[in-house]
Structure formats: C-alpha cells, structure tokens
Amino acid sequence: MSRRSARERALQALFQLDLNHADSADQESMYETLAIDTALGEADKPLGEKSRAYMKTIVTGVRQHLEEIDARIQKSSKEWKVERMAGVDRNLCRIAAWEMYFSEEKLDPGVAINEAVELAKKYGTDDSGRYVNGILGAMTKLS
C-alpha cells in the first residue's frame, strides 16, 4: 500500500478523535489508541507494515503539535475558525501541515498540498478540494 492509504487511515483516526473528547490524559491516550486501531482494522484494505507505521506517526505527530498546527491553519484561514471548519477539511489541513513542518522527513509543500487536495476531493464536499488548497497555499506563503 501507499502513503496515501496511510493518510486516509490517519484522516479516519483524527476525525474520530475530533468527535470523542477525553476527560483526562489517561483517557486521551486510550482514545488515540482506539482510533488508530479502528482505522487500521479495515479488513478489506489491510496496510503493509511501513504504511501502518507511517499512519501511526501521522496521528501521533498531529496530536503532539496540534496547537501549533491549528495556529498555522487559523492564520491561513480568513473566513473560518479552525473549530468551525468541516472535520474532513480541518484534519486534512492538519495532516498536510504536520508533513510540511513537523515531520522528521519534511514533505515538499507541493506534494503535501496535492495529497491533501486529492483526499479532500474523495472524502469532503464539492468545495473541499479548493478550500484545502487555499488554506494550505496561504500557509506556505506565511512561512
């Protein structure tokens, strides 16, 4: 499988974590593990070991840098607060921002944006691709 598949599963896990808010640090860790396991549990599309590891790295990395990532998204979004964005769009922007700015092997912005836009077209609304492209494009100009 590919990194795109890992990103798809990371999107599922991060979306689930957006909906389930923990009351404690212990619960937060448990929710993250459950979200990752649920996303990886799709039997019809098993991921290889490298893709599984990358998916987990994305989820963990986004969660570790969430405040910084959301601050970057907020600066890049003129019309929407991060918490008001559609969940798919918000989490795709988070994944791309993590890959561009926080990953050990930083991804070229053009590649990260393209990957996020393609997934937005697949999982978001009709406008998600343009919206995600606009946010991430503005983010690269601010850096």
Side-chain angles (χ1 to χ4, degrees):
M1 284 281 164
S2 66
R3 284 201 167 191
R4 182 170 291 173
S5 296
R7 288 182 192 98
E8 287 182 70
R9 301 289 177 87
L11 171 63
Q12 293 169 359
L14 291 167
F15 189 88
Q16 181 178 336
L17 288 164
D18 261 1
L19 299 176
N20 298 309
H21 300 282
D23 296 325
S24 68
D26 289 339
Q27 197 176 42
E28 189 76 28
S29 176
M30 182 181 69
Y31 281 15
E32 185 172 310
T33 300
L34 179 62
I36 289 170
D37 289 348
T38 300
L40 288 174
E42 286 189 30
D44 61 323
K45 298 179 192 175
L47 290 180
E49 278 307 308
K50 285 185 177 181
S51 295
R52 293 172 68 86
Y54 191 63
M55 179 270 200
K56 291 176 184 179
T57 301
I58 292 171
V59 174
T60 303
V62 167
R63 306 272 294 158
Q64 287 174 346
H65 297 281
L66 190 61
E67 287 183 26
E68 297 160 283
I69 291 169
D70 281 356
R72 286 177 184 260
I73 294 170
Q74 190 62 61
K75 283 182 189 175
S76 305
S77 174
K78 294 181 173 135
E79 297 180 25
W80 293 91
K81 291 187 177 195
V82 173
E83 60 272 3
R84 301 241 351 184
M85 293 176 182
V88 169
D89 300 349
R90 174 178 52 244
N91 284 296
L92 286 171
C93 287
R94 286 172 173 167
I95 290 168
W98 178 81
E99 287 184 309
M100 290 188 292
Y101 301 111
F102 299 101
S103 172
E104 282 186 28
E105 52 181 82
K106 294 182 181 31
L107 200 57
D108 176 78
V111 174
I113 292 169
N114 183 61
E115 287 295 315
V117 168
E118 290 303 314
L119 290 173
K121 289 177 184 177
K122 183 174 181 178
Y123 292 104
T125 66
D126 290 341
D127 296 325
S128 289
R130 285 191 310 274
Y131 182 74
V132 167
N133 187 50
I135 297 289
L136 295 173
M139 189 183 297
T140 62
K141 292 175 186 169
L142 292 175
S143 298

